[in-house]
Amino acid sequence: MLALSNVMKSAARGSCFRSQLLSKRGKATQTSREVYMFGEKPGQRKWESWEAPYYFFMGGGALLTIVGISLKPETSIKAWARDEAEVRNQRVTDGEPVEMGVNYSQRLFGNMWEKPGVGEKPVRAGDADEE
């Protein structure tokens, strides 16, 4: 019980139980009270060998992602409807007939698909002749 009360008293004073054990055995060493963030002293630091390639490739990947996302095609239904409405309005002003159920914007942009028969895969209009 006496040992437990000594431990509680030393914990209350802020000393470490481990350092007390080491000092009783005669193996205690004085440790530095200076503590630095990430173990580095303030001031100019030398880069590790992995840092330059890491920053280079992370920056390149971010740049590639930004460019790729900004150049991706519009595939929303609103973009298709806008293109279709523009083509249909142009056909009306030119005096050409406009049929319901016909997709005119795909013809304009060269993205026509044809289905030769029931149960067959659709193919692009230009690709069907190449086979």
Side-chain angles (χ1 to χ4, degrees), residues 52-72:
Y54 177 82
Y55 294 138
F56 175 75
F57 286 112
M58 289 299 283
L63 183 66
L64 186 65
T65 301
I66 290 168
V67 168
I69 288 174
S70 67
L71 295 178
K72 74 175 186 152

Side-chain angles (χ1 to χ4, degrees), residues 31-45:
T31 58
S32 173
R33 295 285 180 185
E34 295 180 16
V35 179
Y36 301 109
M37 182 179 261
F38 305 118
E40 297 179 359
K41 293 184 178 181
Q44 189 68 23
R45 61 179 289 272

Side-chain angles (χ1 to χ4, degrees), residues 5-118:
S5 66
N6 286 341
V7 169
M8 295 300 281
K9 286 179 188 176
S10 65
R13 286 191 308 251
S15 63
C16 179
F17 179 68
R18 179 170 158 65
S19 65
Q20 275 189 344
L21 283 177
L22 288 175
S23 66
K24 288 181 182 177
R25 293 180 189 157
K27 297 179 183 177
T29 58
Q30 180 65 30
T31 58
S32 173
R33 295 285 180 185
E34 295 180 16
V35 179
Y36 301 109
M37 182 179 261
F38 305 118
E40 297 179 359
K41 293 184 178 181
Q44 189 68 23
R45 61 179 289 272
K46 185 176 183 256
W47 276 20
E48 296 286 331
S49 63
W50 57 268
E51 284 182 289
Y54 177 82
Y55 294 138
F56 175 75
F57 286 112
M58 289 299 283
L63 183 66
L64 186 65
T65 301
I66 290 168
V67 168
I69 288 174
S70 67
L71 295 178
K72 74 175 186 152
E74 276 188 90
T75 57
S76 69
I77 189 69
K78 290 182 178 182
W80 170 83
R82 182 185 59 242
D83 294 340
E84 185 69 19
E86 288 174 1
V87 172
R88 285 176 180 246
N89 286 337
Q90 185 63 41
R91 286 182 65 94
V92 168
T93 57
D94 292 344
E96 297 176 10
V98 176
E99 294 180 37
M100 293 299 291
V102 177
N103 190 349
Y104 294 106
S105 64
Q106 285 187 351
R107 290 182 186 166
L108 178 70
F109 297 119
N111 193 17
M112 281 299 298
W113 291 83
E114 294 177 353
K115 190 170 181 182
V118 178

Side-chain angles (χ1 to χ4, degrees), residues 115-128:
K115 190 170 181 182
V118 178
E120 295 182 24
K121 293 182 179 179
V123 294
R124 285 188 187 260
D127 295 343

